[in-house]
Amino acid sequence: MTAAIGQQKGNIMEGHMPELEFFDCNCYFGLPSKAAQSPLTCPTIDDLSAQLDRAGITRAIVWNVTQHDVSAQRGNELLAEAIRGRDNLYGCWTVLPEQTGEMAVDRLLADMKQNHIVALRAFPVAHRYLLNRTTMGTLLEAMVEHRIPLIYSIRRLPPYHGPHAAWNDLHLLMQDFPELTLIISEHGSWGSDRYFRPLLDRYERVYVDTTLYFLDAGLEDLVARYGPGRIIFGSGLPERYPGGMMLAIRHGEFDAGAKAAMASLNLAQIVKEVLR
C-alpha cells in the first residue's frame, strides 16, 4: 500500500473525511471515422472537458480517436496540441513499430516529456503488427525502464480477432516483460476475471480499469483478494456514462482508503513514477 493511501487512511481515522477525487485513465475526444455505437461524442477537447466536469472527474489521461481510426502519428499530434496548457489532463499516445520508419523510440520518449504524455496505447490488430519482443522489444524495454504504462483496450478489437486471442497476446507479452506496467481497459463484465486474474496473481504491475466492469460485487471481490491497489478508475467517456462505476466506488463495501485508491491514488502514483 502506498504512502499516499496510508495517509488517506490516517486522515479518515482522525475524523477528516476527504473529498473523493476521480482520476480517469480512459476517455477520448475526436470524431470516429465510423458512426459510434453510442450517439454521444466529444468532437473537441473542450467537449470532453465539459463532460468530465459534469461528472465530477478532476483529472484524466486522454487520447484522440484519430490515433486509432486514421493515423497514429497525426492523432498523437492532435492530442498534444489539444491538452497543451491543461494541467489536469495528461496524454496517452499510440505506438507503432520502429522497423517501418514511422516511429523512433528515442524521439518518442523525448517528445512525450515535452508534451505531457504519461502513457501509451497499442492497437496491434487494427494497425497490423505483433505486440511482442521481436517487433516492439526496444520500446517495451524502455517502457519498463521508465515505468510508462501500456493501456490496452480489450473492446477495441475487430470482430474477427476476438477477446480470446487478445488475452492470449497479453499473457505472452507479460511473460516476456514481467515488469511492464499494464492497465487492462474495457475488459468487460462477462467472465473476464478468468482472463485477467491470473495476470494479477503473477505480475505486480498489472492493473484493471473499471470502464465496463458491471459485475455485481465484482469490485468488492477483487479488493478482498488483491487489495485496492490493482484497480484504476476509467470512465469510457464519451461512449460510456461514468456515473455507474463512480457510484460503485463511492458506495461499495470497502473502506474510504480503498475508495480513494481506486478513484485516483493508484493512477496518480503511476503518473508520478513516469514524471519523476
Side-chain angles (χ1 to χ4, degrees):
M1 181 172 294
T2 67
I5 298 173
Q7 181 64 47
Q8 189 86 27
K9 284 190 170 183
N11 291 338
I12 293 163
M13 292 178 67
E14 293 169 9
H16 305 291
M17 182 61 72
E19 180 66 24
L20 192 61
E21 178 195 11
F22 282 88
F23 189 172
D24 192 345
C25 77
N26 181 39
C27 55
Y28 75 87
F29 66 99
L31 289 173
S33 61
K34 297 180 180 179
Q37 292 181 354
S38 166
L40 299 177
T41 59
C42 288
T44 71
I45 194 67
D46 288 333
D47 297 322
L48 178 60
S49 293
Q51 289 298 320
L52 293 170
D53 290 343
R54 178 176 179 271
I57 299 169
T58 57
R59 289 189 286 171
I61 297 177
V62 307
W63 62 290
N64 189 313
V65 72
T66 302
Q67 297 168 223
H68 174 274
D69 287 8
V70 183
S71 163
Q73 301 96 319
R74 182 55 183 151
N76 289 350
E77 292 172 356
L78 291 172
L79 173 62
E81 294 168 5
I83 66 172
R84 189 166 294 126
R86 298 174 184 261
D87 293 338
N88 68 318
L89 298 181
Y90 303 85
C92 179
W93 273 349
T94 294
V95 295
L96 295 172
E98 278 194 297
Q99 294 87 346
T100 53
E102 298 169 281
M103 199 167 285
V105 171
D106 290 344
R107 178 65 182 273
L108 178 71
L109 296 177
D111 288 348
M112 287 179 66
K113 290 183 178 181
Q114 296 177 8
N115 289 284
H116 218 220
I117 308 300
V118 298
L120 296 172
R121 283 180 178 263
F123 303 105
V125 180
H127 294 164
R128 301 186 180 185
Y129 65 88
L130 298 178
L131 185 61
N132 59 20
R133 180 177 289 279
T134 301
T135 303
M136 307 291 281
T138 302
L139 173 64
L140 291 163
E141 288 170 358
M143 292 176 69
V144 170
E145 179 182 354
H146 297 285
R147 298 295 185 102
I148 299 169
L150 173 67
I151 301 178
Y152 193 96
S153 171
I154 298 296
R155 188 188 70 80
R156 290 186 178 275
L157 293 166
Y160 63 81
H161 187 72
H164 184 82
W167 284 110
N168 185 64
D169 291 344
L170 286 184
H171 277 252
L172 293 175
L173 177 67
M174 293 308 301
Q175 286 180 24
D176 277 349
F177 299 93
E179 296 180 1
L180 178 69
T181 303
L182 173 65
I183 300 174
I184 305 171
S185 179
E186 299 178 305
H187 46 82
S189 58
W190 300 101
S192 295
D193 290 69
R194 296 170 185 165
Y195 287 120
F196 70 68
R197 288 198 185 201
L199 294 172
L200 295 179
D201 278 344
R202 182 173 291 271
Y203 305 107
E204 294 182 358
R205 298 191 64 82
V206 172
Y207 304 82
V208 292
D209 89 344
T210 63
T211 301
L212 293 175
Y213 197 53
F214 300 114
L215 186 65
D216 186 27
L219 289 181
E220 284 85 351
D221 195 66
L222 282 179
V223 170
R225 180 177 175 90
Y226 299 101
R230 312 296 291 281
I231 303 166
I232 292 175
F233 172 69
S235 72
L237 277 168
E239 293 181 52
R240 309 290 169 184
Y241 181 67
M245 292 315 303
M246 294 175 75
L247 185 71
I249 292 174
R250 284 187 186 279
H251 299 287
E253 296 181 0
F254 14 72
D255 64 34
K259 294 176 182 181
M262 292 182 285
S264 66
L265 296 182
N266 294 335
L267 186 56
Q269 179 62 30
I270 290 173
V271 170
K272 181 180 178 180
E273 291 179 357
V274 176
L275 297 176
R276 71 186 190 280

